Amino acid sequence: MTEELLVANLSDEEIAEIESEISHLPDRESAAIDALMIVQRHRGWISDESLQAIARLLDMSAAKLDGIATFYNLIFRRPVGRNVVMICDSVSCYIMKAESLIEKVQEKLGIQMGETTEDDRFTLLPIVCLGACDRAPTMQINEELIGPIEPDQLDEIFARFT
Amino acid sequence: MSLQDKQPMVGLVDEQAGPLSISEYERHGGYTAALQALSQKTPIEVIELVKEAGLRGRGGAGFPTGLKWSFAQGEPATPGYKYMVCNGDEMEPGTFKDRYLIEFNPHLLIEGMILGSFAIQAEKAYVFLRGEYFDAYSALDEAIKEAKAKNYLGKGIFGTDVNLDLRIHSSGGRYICGEETALLNALEGKRAQPRSKPPFPPASGAWGRPTIVNNVETFCNVPGILRNGAQWYKDLGLTEDAGTKLYGISGRVNKPGLWELPMGTPIREIVDEHAGGMQNGFKLRGILPGGASTDFLVEEHFDLPMDYATIQNAGSRMGTGTMILMDDSICPVDLSRNLQHFFAQESCGFCTPCREGLPWVEQLLAKIENGEGEEGDLELLDQNALYIGAPGNTFCLHATGAIEPLQSALKYFREDFEYHIKNKTCPYKKKQVNH
């Protein structure tokens, strides 16, 4: 297969958003993180094909871009479910029994940290301190911060995300 | 004296009402400090006033803000050839103050950044914001739009010949982005690895240009200083440190939260009066006073005032001023393991002592916690604390910060570590009950 076929085409919308970021920056490569986040917002994650297409748009090597993509924990290089559940495992939540909350969530969703449910509904990830320690223990589902969480509220919380 | 004069950062905030709008902010004197400074003062005068007020950086290090700005002062060789950057990458475990300021008083941050950018004559400014802070992003994005519409941002702001373009960079995530030079690499779209220093950012920062990086709360102190003067600001503090501070408490207290109080408010007052004291059945044993990377304080320190000098003299750092309370149901060994897990995971991996040392320390702590500790393990931990933590072995202070809570846990809770090794068990696991 030629390289051309491996490179997915970015949508006009994605390209326009990335070019808009580039227009505020001294060079194209400086938009690397913004570009990855833009494409992820549209596609949920960064596939190898997306990575190559972005690298080409930014005039940089795909290897260098991958070094950047894999450095940041909010950039997903593997597919994720429709809803990403991130549970804080840092010290303030730890004190407020985050470890038993994590166990209950894993049990409830039937998956371990880093896994996605078979129906692609949830991906479960650990996250460092979410900056809401007065509401510990906390989790973030997609863009929503939730806490403090009592384990018996979990069913009700997950029901809101389909 | 109005509430705003005693609590210049959050006095106007009504949490139920959401972010303070530009009209509300202006109704209480918002943006008058920027208007006056830009039309009547020189940049050097602004720097001198901030120096005189004694404002120190609120991100953790406590560096004098006016002095920092003076390192980048003066007319740039090319117009706009400087950057002002706000560090809003709040990821220090236990810290939740910058989120609050941006979500509820975004115009205060913008006005502080206008004043700072004017002081160092930067025409471009960035807010480096945590990627997870979606609500803060919306509040700030909306506030920037409002400020642009009023010509407080953009070209010829406030009817002067000053320009300022303010943009938000939403982070891809990683604790190390909070390190000033790692942040600049991230802003440039690179891996967030700290840079070797010197050169320091005021000489060569973002894209090689002179750059000043300040914390969100630091900027939020500036408009009040310009409006009410240096003496007013100094008088706000109870001790030799000036101003107010957003203190926070998390842990087993009755009312965990955040309060803007005079700098130097005693720890016990914050815990007992503002946080409502410890929950029934829990006794306070130790405090990480300013986030995960600060040394423990114990009972003998709880009457001390929370300010930079006092907490430093007590062997720790005021850091971010948001305190993590360890109660008597928490195992100090396992808590140390939790902390080192965080630091090991968040090491950028560039320098060997940090990349290799921290995971090793985490494993050793897990071994002790699991009842597999051996004689000599504590001495090994002591040694590692000494070598990994020694500044100068690494580009940045990530490993140094990681070791601070460990070395103090080994000092103050040593009998707990010894018990685990001697009895091959964790005594806290047995008495654990469901709360």
Side-chain angles (χ1 to χ4, degrees), chain B residues 68-88:
Chain B
K68 194 188 239 189
W69 290 1
S70 73
F71 298 153
Q73 74 185 26
E75 189 81 41
T78 314
Y81 200 78
K82 274 185 194 176
Y83 291 103
M84 187 51 128
V85 177
C86 171
N87 185 344

Side-chain angles (χ1 to χ4, degrees), chain A residues 67 71-72 94 129-131, chain B residues 99 130 174 190-191 250 334:
Chain A
F71 187 91
Y72 294 97
Y94 163 87
C129 183
L130 285 166
Chain B
R99 170 203 281 279
R130 255 196 100 164
R174 278 310 277 279
K190 299 174 180 154
R191 288 167 72 94
S250 61
D334 199 42

Side-chain angles (χ1 to χ4, degrees), chain B residues 9 13 18-22 25 31 98-113 127 135-144 146-147 153 166 216 219-220 223:
Chain B
M9 289 186 282
V13 168
L20 211 60
S21 68
I22 197 163
Y25 184 68
Y31 287 114
D98 298 338
R99 170 203 281 279
Y100 188 93
L101 286 169
I102 303 173
E103 283 184 7
F104 292 111
N105 208 351
H107 285 288
L108 183 67
L109 171 61
I110 294 173
E111 188 176 11
M113 290 189 71
V127 177
D135 292 341
Y137 186 98
S138 312
L140 188 58
D141 189 47
E142 177 62 28
I144 289 174
E146 287 178 325
L153 290 173
L166 175 62
V216 173
F219 281 116
C220 288

Side-chain angles (χ1 to χ4, degrees), chain B residues 259-326:
Chain B
W259 309 273
E260 182 179 2
L261 300 170
M263 182 66 91
T265 301
I267 293 172
R268 211 180 285 278
E269 183 187 320
I270 304 171
V271 175
D272 289 346
E273 290 178 28
H274 300 283
M278 297 302 287
Q279 288 176 13
N280 244 340
F282 294 91
K283 191 174 171 298
L284 178 58
R285 259 192 101 192
I287 295 180
L288 296 168
S293 63
T294 57
D295 284 88
F296 274 102
L297 297 178
V298 290
E299 178 68 35
E300 66 189 87
H301 306 120
F302 296 163
D303 287 310
L304 295 175
M306 270 288 273
D307 68 26
Y308 294 100
T310 311
I311 302 303
Q312 193 167 350
N313 287 338
S316 185
R317 290 187 299 120
M318 189 176 74
T320 61
T322 39
M323 298 176 255
I324 303 158
L325 271 50
M326 185 183 81

Side-chain angles (χ1 to χ4, degrees), chain B residues 32-45:
Chain B
T32 53
L35 172 66
Q36 277 173 5
L38 268 59
S39 48
Q40 291 165 23
K41 286 191 194 310
T42 65
I44 302 289
E45 282 170 347

Side-chain angles (χ1 to χ4, degrees), chain B residues 312-344:
Chain B
Q312 193 167 350
N313 287 338
S316 185
R317 290 187 299 120
M318 189 176 74
T320 61
T322 39
M323 298 176 255
I324 303 158
L325 271 50
M326 185 183 81
D327 61 76
D328 61 347
S329 76
I330 300 295
C331 172
V333 178
D334 199 42
L335 183 114
S336 297
R337 179 203 54 76
N338 174 280
L339 290 169
Q340 296 311 314
H341 171 74
F342 168 81
F343 288 110

Side-chain angles (χ1 to χ4, degrees), chain A residues 24 26 30 32-33 37 67-68 71-74 89 91-92 94-95 99 127-131 133-134 140 143, chain B residues 91 94-96 99 124 130 132 134 167 171-174 186 188-192 207 250 325 334 337-338:
Chain A
H24 296 283
S30 292
I33 297 165
M37 304 275 274
I68 295 163
F71 187 91
Y72 294 97
N73 62 284
L74 296 179
D89 62 6
V91 61
S92 295
Y94 163 87
I95 288 172
E99 289 190 338
I127 191 76
V128 297
C129 183
L130 285 166
C133 317
D134 51 342
Q140 185 155 315
E143 299 189 3
Chain B
M91 284 181 92
T95 304
F96 50 103
R99 170 203 281 279
K124 190 135 194 166
R130 255 196 100 164
E132 293 92 337
F134 291 101
R167 297 181 61 80
S171 176
R174 278 310 277 279
E188 292 181 16
K190 299 174 180 154
R191 288 167 72 94
W207 293 282
S250 61
L325 271 50
D334 199 42
R337 179 203 54 76
N338 174 280

